[in-house]
Amino acid sequence: MLTVAIRKNLPEYILDIEFAVTNKVLVLFGPSGCGKTTILRSIAGLTRPDSGKIALGQRVLYDSNAAVFMPPKSREIGYVFQEYALFPHMNIAKNILYSVNNQSEPQQQNYSKLLQLLKIEKLTERLPGELSGGERQRVALARALMAEPQILLLDEPLSALDIQTRSELQDELLKLQQAWEIPFILVTHDPEEAHKLGDEIIHMDKGRICAAGN
Amino acid sequence: MFDWQPVLLSFKISAIALVFVVVIGTLIAYLVVRGPFRFPGKDLIETLVTLPLVLPPVVTGFTLLLLFGRQGPLGRLLNNVFHTQIVFTPCAAVVAALVVSLPLMYQSAKAAFQTVDRHLEDVARTLKASETKVFLTITLPLAWPGLLSGIILSFSRALGEFGATAMVAGNIPGKTQTIPVAIFFASESNDLRTAGFYVLIISAVTFIMVFGVNYWSRRKMQRLNGRG
C-alpha cells in the first residue's frame, strides 16, 4: 500500500493532499495545472515536497520530519510520461532493458512476456523515431514494467494518441494491471478515461482533493 | 623547402590546449545548465569565460601578460612554487590558445546540454540509474553532437590564434612560432610564398574539420529524429 500526505508551495496555490492506494487503479482527475503531475513527481522522487510523508508499505520514501529522502533509483517506482520519453539513441530492446544490468532467467521471461503482451516483438531492433505514437507508448510501458516496480505512475499516458489507439491501450492498461498486480496511479483530464480505468477516482482542483469515490 | 615546424608546433599547442578546454568548458557548462545548486558568482564566471570571444585578442594577450609576467600575480606564484617563467615559452602559447578557444567550447557545450530533454534523464532515474549512469548513457550521448562541434570549433580557433599568442609567446622559431605568427612575419618580410603556403594549410585543415563535423551532425540528427 502506498500512502501519500504531502504539502508543497506552488506558484499559484498550495498543494496539500492526502491519500492511500492499494492494489488497483487510482485515477487523479482534474484540470491541467491542478498539481497532479507534481504529486506523481513527488512519489517518484523527482520533486521534493516542502513537507509530509510518503511510504510504500514499510518503506519510507520521504519524511520531512525524519529528513528522509530516498533517491528515485532506489524507490522501485515506475513512471510513464505523456511524451513517452524513450531514449532516442537506443533501439527498442535497449530502451526496454535499460534498467537491467545482467539479464537473469526470470528477467528474460519477463522481457518476452512484455513484448508479447504489448505486441511489440517485431519492433526490438528499431529506433524510437521510427515508431508511431501508440507503439512508442507500448514500449514506454514495457520499459517501466521491466524494472519490476512496486507501483506504476502514468502521467496522461494516452492523451497524445488518436481515439482508436487510445481505446486499445486503455484495455491493455487494465490487462497489465491485473497481470502485474501492482497499484497504478494514472493522471488524466479526460472524464471518460477516468471512469473507464479508475477503480477509484480522486477529483482535484488547485492542489486539493474536492471529491473522491469509486 | 618549406619549414614544417610552425605547422607541427601549432598542432601540438592546440592539442594540449584542447584537452584543458574540453574538460573545463564541459564541466562549467554542465554545472551552469544542470547544477543541482545555484553556485555563487555563476553570472560572473559565465561572463569571464565568454569575454575572450568578443575582446580583441591583443587585449586578452595584454591581460595574460599582466597576469603571467614576472611581476604579475600568477607569474610570481609560478616563480615561487615551480621556479619557472612561462612568458615567451610554448606554455604561454598553450595558455593563450586555451583562453581564446574556451568560450567556443563553453557555448557549444551549454547549448548541447540545454537541448537534452530533462524527462529522459528523469525517466532513467526511475529506471534505477545512478547519476553517473544517467550522465554517461543519456546526457553525454545526446549532447555529443553539440560537444563535438564545440571541440572542432575550439581546436580550429586555437590553431588560428594570433594576437594573444604573439603578445605572450612571441615569435621564436621552433619554440613559439605557430602558423599564424609565421604567416604574419613572413608577409611582413615580403616572403609571400611562405605566407601563402601556411595560409593554404591552415585554411584547408579548418575547412575540412568544420565541414566534416557539420555533415556528420546533420546526418546524426536526421537518424535520431526519424519520422518525428
Side-chain angles (χ1 to χ4, degrees), chain A residues 20-40:
Chain A
V21 55
T22 49
N23 199 356
K24 55 188 175 184
V25 180
L26 172 73
V27 168
L28 297 178
F29 172 78
S32 302
C34 72
K36 300 174 304 228
T37 296
T38 308
I39 296 172
L40 293 195

Side-chain angles (χ1 to χ4, degrees), chain B residues 188-209:
Chain B
E188 278 285 273
S189 54
N190 242 337
D191 182 359
L192 295 186
R193 267 170 66 91
T194 308
F197 171 71
Y198 292 135
V199 166
L200 208 64
I201 288 184
I202 197 165
S203 307
V205 168
T206 41
F207 178 85
I208 290 167
M209 285 193 304

Side-chain angles (χ1 to χ4, degrees), chain A:
Chain A
M1 179 161 100
L2 176 83
T3 52
V4 179
I6 50 170
R7 235 178 111 88
K8 185 174 174 68
N9 279 316
L10 296 177
E12 292 182 10
Y13 52 85
I14 296 167
L15 175 72
D16 188 354
I17 199 157
E18 199 172 336
F19 64 88
V21 55
T22 49
N23 199 356
K24 55 188 175 184
V25 180
L26 172 73
V27 168
L28 297 178
F29 172 78
S32 302
C34 72
K36 300 174 304 228
T37 296
T38 308
I39 296 172
L40 293 195
R41 290 183 63 86
S42 303
I43 297 171
L46 301 172
T47 296
R48 215 181 262 261
D50 294 336
S51 63
K53 186 173 175 179
I54 302 170
L56 187 57
Q58 297 300 310
R59 291 196 306 142
V60 177
L61 306 182
Y62 169 75
D63 186 348
S64 55
N65 288 330
V68 175
F69 182 84
M70 193 185 274
K73 68 168 175 142
S74 319
R75 292 195 178 199
E76 298 182 49
I77 289 179
Y79 201 127
V80 174
F81 287 85
Q82 179 182 351
E83 298 296 340
Y84 328 116
L86 297 181
F87 307 132
H89 56 305
M90 298 181 197
N91 69 18
I92 299 312
K94 286 200 175 125
N95 262 281
I96 297 174
L97 293 169
Y98 185 78
S99 60
V100 178
N101 291 325
N102 296 303
Q103 240 184 105
S104 63
E105 188 61 28
Q107 280 172 330
Q108 181 62 49
Q109 285 168 8
N110 204 7
Y111 177 65
S112 315
K113 188 172 142 197
L114 278 167
L115 291 185
Q116 196 194 351
L117 260 173
L118 287 157
K119 301 175 201 130
I120 48 177
E121 300 110 312
K122 293 202 178 99
L123 306 177
T124 53
E125 296 304 313
R126 304 242 203 116
L127 284 174
E130 301 165 333
L131 268 51
S132 71
E135 290 169 334
R136 288 186 206 187
Q137 200 52 294
R138 289 162 194 272
V139 173
L141 279 165
R143 181 179 63 178
L145 290 171
M146 195 62 217
E148 296 171 56
Q150 301 290 312
I151 182 164
L152 186 63
L153 311 175
L154 302 124
D155 192 357
E156 305 257 8
L158 310 178
S159 55
L161 303 174
D162 61 77
I163 295 171
Q164 203 201 324
T165 315
R166 190 191 295 193
S167 163
E168 264 175 50
L169 269 168
Q170 283 169 348
D171 295 333
E172 270 160 46
L173 272 179
L174 290 175
K175 256 191 263 169
L176 279 174
Q177 199 273 329
Q178 278 154 12
W180 254 257
E181 297 183 309
I182 56 171
F184 281 16
I185 301 181
L186 184 135
V187 158
T188 183
H189 61 265
D190 173 4
E192 243 176 83
E193 186 164 288
H195 285 287
K196 180 166 173 189
L197 296 178
D199 294 311
E200 195 181 324
I201 300 171
I202 291 179
H203 291 254
M204 286 183 58
D205 194 28
K206 294 204 170 124
R208 285 167 198 274
I209 295 176
C210 43
N214 298 328

Side-chain angles (χ1 to χ4, degrees), chain B residues 59-122:
Chain B
V59 173
T60 306
F62 185 79
T63 314
L64 288 177
L65 214 47
L66 285 183
L67 287 173
F68 284 99
R70 209 172 276 279
Q71 297 305 317
L74 294 175
R76 244 188 266 173
L77 187 76
L78 285 174
N79 200 13
N80 291 341
V81 180
F82 300 105
H83 305 288
T84 186
Q85 283 287 327
I86 69 158
V87 172
F88 298 121
T89 69
C91 257
V94 170
V95 172
L98 192 163
V99 170
V100 296
S101 56
L102 186 61
L104 290 169
M105 186 67 220
Y106 170 73
Q107 293 296 343
S108 306
K110 188 179 160 194
F113 287 132
Q114 277 168 339
T115 59
V116 177
D117 182 355
R118 298 192 95 142
H119 284 149
L120 298 179
E121 296 168 330
D122 277 346

